[in-house]
Amino acid sequence: MRYRELTVSGAWEVTPTLFGDERGVFLEWFKDAPFHEAVGHSVNLMQANCSVSAAGVLRGIHFADVPPGQAKYVTCVQGAVLDVVVDLRLGSPTFGEWDSVVLDDVDRRAVYLSEGLGHGFLSLEDGSTVVYLCSTGYAPGREHGIDPFDSDVSIEWPTRGRNGLELELSLSDKDSNAPSLREAERRGLLPSHSDVLRYVENLQVAPKGQR
């Protein structure tokens, strides 16, 4: 299992070791020891989600108030998605920047993004199934989003799916009407980089179960 930190600090690409034969494939898609070594603390698991999407479905960009925020450990068990992480932390050296990883049922990579980062993905195939572990439970009052097509962020979303055909994008009303990065900042929705660092540092020193 290999960890590679993305250009957005606080996010990692995780590449598992695959053991395959004529019967199929086995892998460990999460393991605490290498996770702790890379990130500095264990996963504080409070909720596990599963999302199934048709080709062209775009979900995000989502984020949550910090504290406590919502860290996510994400993989795609069927199909393929482009998984995107955006730095929404005011005062961060990489504020407004993004990075991406293709998650699919071939390489079976995962992405971990810590608190304060924005997250979204675009399904590249019908039936793409994304599962993710969350550090906090769903709380609509403290969860927000920004426009995934905001020109100030300029995410390069794919225009064609896994089969090479042109994608017809589909978003929820909430994501379609999400504010721009600048508008979210004006409304006071974005997390502070210093608050996020303080919260993550507390995770690194707190005993498991006391976070």
Side-chain angles (χ1 to χ4, degrees):
M1 185 172 285
R2 301 190 310 275
Y3 278 74
R4 178 181 68 88
E5 190 163 18
L6 301 184
T7 57
V8 175
S9 64
W12 285 263
E13 172 194 85
V14 185
T15 302
T17 301
L18 306 182
F19 301 93
D21 57 26
E22 68 278 2
R23 300 169 300 165
V25 176
F26 173 83
L27 68 144
E28 297 169 336
W29 75 280
F30 172 80
K31 197 169 185 178
D32 184 70
F35 179 89
H36 195 289
E37 182 178 354
V39 177
H41 59 82
S42 296
V43 168
N44 189 32
L45 176 60
M46 297 299 290
Q47 185 169 312
N49 297 337
C50 178
S51 173
V52 182
S53 301
V57 169
L58 197 166
R59 302 182 188 273
I61 302 294
H62 302 148
F63 65 100
D65 293 336
V66 180
Q70 188 181 65
K72 298 175 181 177
Y73 190 97
V74 187
T75 195
C76 181
V77 296
Q78 178 175 311
V81 302
L82 183 75
D83 199 77
V84 174
V85 179
V86 183
D87 192 345
L88 301 179
R89 303 166 298 188
L90 288 170
S92 167
T94 55
F95 175 73
E97 296 184 16
W98 63 277
D99 203 349
S100 64
V101 177
V102 173
L103 304 180
D104 61 24
D105 51 16
V106 177
D107 296 319
R108 300 189 181 277
R109 292 187 178 94
V111 166
Y112 174 73
L113 59 147
S114 61
E115 293 80 359
L117 299 177
H119 177 249
F121 61 85
L122 173 62
S123 173
L124 305 177
E125 182 175 270
D126 284 341
S128 292
T129 303
V130 173
V131 294
Y132 46 106
L133 312 178
C134 302
S135 65
T136 57
Y138 176 63
R142 58 176 178 79
E143 297 186 9
H144 314 286
I146 66 163
D147 180 1
F149 303 111
D150 185 352
S151 60
D152 286 333
V153 181
S154 297
I155 297 171
E156 297 175 6
W157 296 108
T159 59
R160 296 188 179 276
R162 202 180 195 186
N163 58 6
L165 298 179
E166 188 171 355
L167 291 171
E168 182 177 345
L169 299 190
S170 175
L171 288 77
S172 69
D173 290 342
K174 180 180 178 181
D175 290 342
S176 296
N177 296 314
S180 67
L181 182 64
R182 291 181 180 178
E183 177 63 16
E185 180 180 359
R186 189 190 68 79
R187 295 185 193 177
L189 300 177
L190 301 180
S192 156
H193 189 228
S194 58
D195 287 346
V196 171
L197 290 181
R198 192 176 304 113
Y199 184 78
V200 172
E201 287 171 359
N202 182 63
L203 293 180
Q204 294 174 343
V205 299
K208 194 171 183 178
Q210 298 183 23
R211 297 168 185 155

